[in-house]
Structures are given as C-alpha cells and as structure tokens.
C-alpha cells in the first residue's frame, strides 16, 4: 500500500464547510487533519459568510508551501442535504494543478449532494490517495495520470499580456528573470486567477509556478507567509496592496494597465539596449497572428537562453560540482556600459552564478 501511495500521492487533506438554513457556518468534516491557520484561512476564503460570496465556484491559492482548492456548491431541494443551503469542499495538496483538483472537487461535491454522506466522499478520496483514481456511476471517473504536471502551463495567454502592456512587458520579464517580488492587483478574483497563470510561461527555464501565490489577502498570516519567500508572483484583489511597498518590488495594476517599480528596486531594473531588443521582439511575437501561444513561449525562452549563455560565457571559475561562476572582478574588467554590467551582475545573482 505504501508503495502505491508514494507514486502519486499529492493530496494532504479534505474538508467540508457548510452554511445551514439559519446562515450559520459549520465545519462538518475534516480528513485527516488541518492546522488552526489552515482552518482560519479556509473560513475566510470559502465565501460562505454571505459578505464575501465569489462569482465563480472554484478558487485556489497557496499558503505555507501547500496549495488549497475550494469548490463552492449551492444546495437544492432535490439534493440529499436537508437544512444545508451551501457548502464548500476544500482540498489541500502539494502541487499546483487547478484542472486536476477542480475535476476531483466536482466529483466529490456531486457525491456529497447525492448521498449527504461524508463517508461516501471519504471512500473516493482514499481511492485516489491509494490507487490514483476513483470511479462513480453518475459523476464520472477521476484518474490522476490524466493530468500531467506540466499541462496546467498550457492555460496561458502571453500574447494578451504583451498586447496589454506593450513595450513595458519587458519590466515584467526582467522582474521575473531577476527574481523580484511581484504583486499583481485586480479587483476581480476571476481575472486575477486567470492572469496569474500566464507569468510562469515567461520563464520557461524555471519552475516558476512553485512561487505563485494566485490569491492573497492583506491578512497578517498571509503577509507573514508571503514575506518568508525571497521572490514571488502574488495576486491580490484588495486595492490597499498598491501602497504596500514593503511586499513588492514591482506592482502590476491590471485594471489600470500600469506597472510601478518601487523606489528601492529601480536601480536593479534599469533597462539596457538588450532589454529594448527583447521588448521589440516580444511585441512582434504578439502581433504575429500565424504563431501559436506555445510558439510565443518557446521564442521568448530562446531569448532567455541566449542571455544565460552570454552570462555563462563570462564565467571564469567553476564550483566543485562544475557549475560555472562569474567573478565580479572579471565582470568589471569587461568595461561594459554601467547599465549592462549592473543587469548582468543582478542576473548572475538571480541564477546563483555570482562569486563575490
């Protein structure tokens, strides 16, 4: 059993939160357990309190190095849940894969509506945990292997991002490349979640999605968790985040189509001739109607590869395991334009290739 579980186990827990006919919020099922912080976060995020109901039923985010997925369901008279008006099913997992967990959440939620029985859900949950799949007569089949880990990166729209910000897209690209702290603001949770998924595609050579925080609120627990990371791309729907320069190096205001660089980050974000060339290149890609999204991503990855190859060509020493390293003295001896030297210095630090 342990071998079977180890192969594909990414699930951590499952919970059900209900809103009854009196408007009371009740935690009716948790398996196997969650922390007090996780419970507090899900209570805030689930939208069952009436004041914060969300227009879309499936939401997700990241907290304390785990991903949460919340599926809200309205209960009808035909369902087997008397006195329950609405419930939220929440999964915690180790991986980011919204399509996978939305599918599984829906199967579990439909099963709960039909049976009104947490044990019926638990049977499906344990089946996925141990076998990697579950089958139901009416609500479909779920197979973990149908959802490849990298398939979620297909749901990106780099072309649209470039069209939105034009030449200034280079600021987003550079911030990602230099591992800056990026906050993305939009008042719509739906647009926020959709937009955040595009950013990893600009850095195809990294597993950048591991540093996504698709939906944060300005709650102390979430801010502390965010600040524990050196760099990230975090989405927030609270306009108050725009004044929180303590948590961002660049702020992307989606409704206003504006990018603001925090004063403390401006020196490392100075643009060079190379930046201008990449910016124009990205603009041309976005305007080319004959190439696909995947081709756009690959072309940008090619430009990034060229930058990294140039950086490696400046390396004069290697670590004990053969990793090329750039010496600051060597960089200065090249007599490069100050802005370019500054950029390559920061890039080498971001890629852990700088020997100070």
């Amino acid at each position: 059993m342990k071998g079977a579980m180890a192969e594909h186990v990414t699930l951590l827990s499952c919970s059900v939160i209900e809103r009854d006919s009196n408007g009371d919020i009740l935690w009716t099922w948790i398996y196997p357990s969650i922390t007090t912080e996780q419970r507090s976060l899900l209570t805030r995020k689930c939208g069952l309190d009436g004041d914060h109901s969300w227009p879309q039923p499936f939401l997700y985010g990241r907290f304390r190095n785990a991903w949460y997925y919340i599926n809200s369901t309205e209960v009808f008279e035909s369902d087997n849940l008397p006195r329950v008006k609405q419930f939220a099913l929440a999964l915690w997992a180790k991986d980011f894969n919204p399509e996978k967990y939305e599918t599984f959440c829906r199967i579990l939620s439909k099963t709960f509506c039909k049976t009104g029985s947490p044990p019926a859900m638990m049977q499906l949950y344990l089946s996925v945990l141990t076998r990697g799949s579950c089958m139901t007569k009416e609500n479909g089949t779920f197979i973990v292997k149908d959802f490849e880990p990298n398939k979620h990166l297909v749901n990106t729209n780099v072309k649209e991002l470039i069209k939105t910000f034009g030449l200034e897209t280079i600021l987003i690209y550079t911030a990602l490349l230099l591992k800056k702290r990026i906050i993305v603001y939009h008042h719509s949770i739906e647009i926020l979640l959709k937009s955040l998924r595009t950013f990893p595609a600009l850095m195809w050579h990294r597993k950048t999605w591991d540093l996504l925080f698709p939906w944060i609120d300005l709650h102390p627990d979430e801010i502390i968790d965010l600040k524990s990371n050196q760099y990230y791309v975090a989405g927030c729907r609270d306009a108050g985040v725009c004044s929180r320069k303590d948590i961002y190096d660049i702020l992307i205001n989606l409704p206003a189509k504006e990018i603001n660089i925090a004063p403390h980050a401006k020196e490392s974000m100075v643009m060079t001739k190379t930046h201008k060339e990449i910016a124009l290149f990205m603009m041309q890609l976005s305007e080319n109607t004959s190439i696909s999204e995947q081709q756009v991503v690959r072309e940008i990855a090619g430009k990034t590869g060229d930058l990294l190859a140039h950086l490696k060509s400046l390396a004069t020493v290697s670590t004990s395991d053969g990793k090329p390293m750039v010496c600051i003295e060597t960089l200065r001896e090249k007599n490069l334009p100050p802005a370019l030297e500054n950029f390559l210095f920061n890039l080498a630090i971001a890629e852990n290739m700088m020997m100070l």
Side-chain angles (χ1 to χ4, degrees):
M1 181 71 75
K2 286 184 179 178
M5 287 181 69
E7 184 182 352
H8 45 243
V9 59
T10 52
L11 285 166
L12 297 171
S13 70
C14 182
S15 310
V16 175
I17 315 161
E18 296 178 355
R19 179 169 63 85
D20 66 15
S21 52
N22 295 321
D24 294 326
I25 309 299
L26 309 167
W27 281 75
T28 53
W29 189 61
I30 300 172
Y31 179 84
S33 64
I34 60 173
T35 66
T36 302
E37 277 188 324
Q38 287 177 327
R39 181 167 173 149
S40 174
L41 179 133
L42 291 178
T43 301
R44 293 196 306 272
K45 302 279 192 180
C46 70
L48 295 182
D49 59 7
D51 296 327
H52 302 91
S53 57
W54 310 119
Q56 70 179 57
F58 182 72
L59 300 164
Y60 54 85
R62 184 165 173 251
F63 182 71
R64 295 276 190 261
N65 295 316
W67 296 90
Y68 60 87
Y69 301 90
I70 305 170
N71 190 69
S72 299
T73 304
E74 294 287 341
V75 176
F76 299 98
E77 289 184 10
S78 57
D79 295 324
N80 196 12
L81 289 167
R83 296 184 298 280
V84 177
K85 291 296 182 184
Q86 189 181 15
F87 71 89
L89 184 138
L91 296 175
W92 286 90
K94 297 176 184 177
D95 58 328
F96 175 60
N97 198 324
E99 282 69 39
K100 176 169 76 171
Y101 292 109
E102 183 173 14
T103 301
F104 189 37
C105 278
R106 283 179 177 173
I107 289 175
L108 292 176
S109 296
K110 287 178 181 178
T111 299
F112 189 48
C113 280
K114 187 175 188 297
T115 64
S117 166
M121 279 197 304
M122 184 173 176
Q123 189 176 2
L124 298 176
Y125 180 88
L126 291 176
S127 179
V128 170
L129 200 63
T130 56
R131 300 187 185 92
S133 65
C134 69
M135 296 178 65
T136 64
K137 287 183 179 179
E138 296 180 7
N139 299 318
T141 299
F142 175 77
I143 303 171
V144 170
K145 289 182 179 178
D146 287 347
F147 300 89
E148 295 174 15
N150 290 325
K151 266 192 175 177
H152 58 272
L153 290 175
V154 174
N155 293 302
T156 64
N157 201 339
V158 173
K159 272 190 173 184
E160 189 60 36
L161 182 69
I162 298 169
K163 286 177 182 175
T164 299
F165 291 101
L167 291 172
E168 285 205 322
T169 308
I170 192 63
L171 295 174
I172 300 173
Y173 173 87
T174 304
L176 287 165
L177 191 64
L178 299 183
K179 295 183 177 178
K180 297 296 184 182
R181 300 172 304 156
I182 302 171
I183 292 289
V184 183
Y185 164 73
H186 200 291
H187 54 272
S188 163
I189 186 69
E190 182 179 3
I191 293 174
L192 199 60
L193 294 181
K194 186 177 179 182
S195 300
L196 262 287
R197 296 187 64 163
T198 291
F199 289 85
L202 289 172
M203 290 290 115
W204 202 245
H205 69 294
R206 295 187 192 141
K207 289 186 176 180
T208 322
W209 58 91
D210 288 341
L211 295 167
L212 280 182
F213 287 79
W215 172 29
I216 65 156
D217 291 315
L218 299 180
H219 187 278
D221 285 353
E222 294 180 63
I223 296 301
I224 290 169
D225 182 40
L226 191 68
K227 284 185 170 183
S228 70
N229 296 269
Q230 288 186 312
Y231 55 101
Y232 45 75
V233 180
C236 186
R237 57 185 301 277
D238 184 340
V241 78
C242 298
S243 61
R244 292 294 302 266
K245 293 182 176 64
D246 59 313
I247 59 172
Y248 73 79
D249 298 315
I250 80 163
L251 171 76
I252 301 169
N253 187 325
L254 290 176
K257 299 182 180 180
E258 291 178 353
I259 299 173
N260 295 310
I261 304 172
H264 63 261
K266 286 187 176 179
E267 185 179 350
S268 61
M269 291 288 290
V270 174
M271 297 293 103
T272 68
K273 182 183 176 184
T274 301
H275 288 94
K276 184 177 180 180
E277 289 170 355
I278 295 174
L280 290 169
F281 179 71
M282 289 196 292
M283 283 293 290
Q284 290 166 358
L285 289 175
S286 71
E287 292 163 0
N288 190 335
T289 56
S290 65
I291 61 174
S292 66
E293 172 76 4
Q294 285 72 30
Q295 286 173 302
V296 170
V297 170
R298 281 196 293 269
E299 290 288 338
I300 294 173
K303 284 290 182 185
T304 307
D306 293 342
L307 274 178
L308 296 177
H310 178 55
L311 184 65
K312 286 176 183 175
S313 74
L314 300 174
T316 53
V317 293
S318 299
T319 60
S320 57
D321 59 356
K323 182 179 175 68
M325 300 293 286
V326 177
C327 291
I328 191 165
E329 293 83 4
T330 307
L331 195 59
R332 285 172 178 162
E333 287 168 4
K334 296 289 181 182
N335 290 319
L336 299 167
L340 182 58
E341 180 185 306
N342 180 52
F343 169 64
L344 291 171
F345 172 78
N346 285 298
L347 180 57
I349 290 175
E351 291 293 319
N352 195 25
M353 286 176 61
M354 177 54 69
M355 188 168 283
L356 299 171

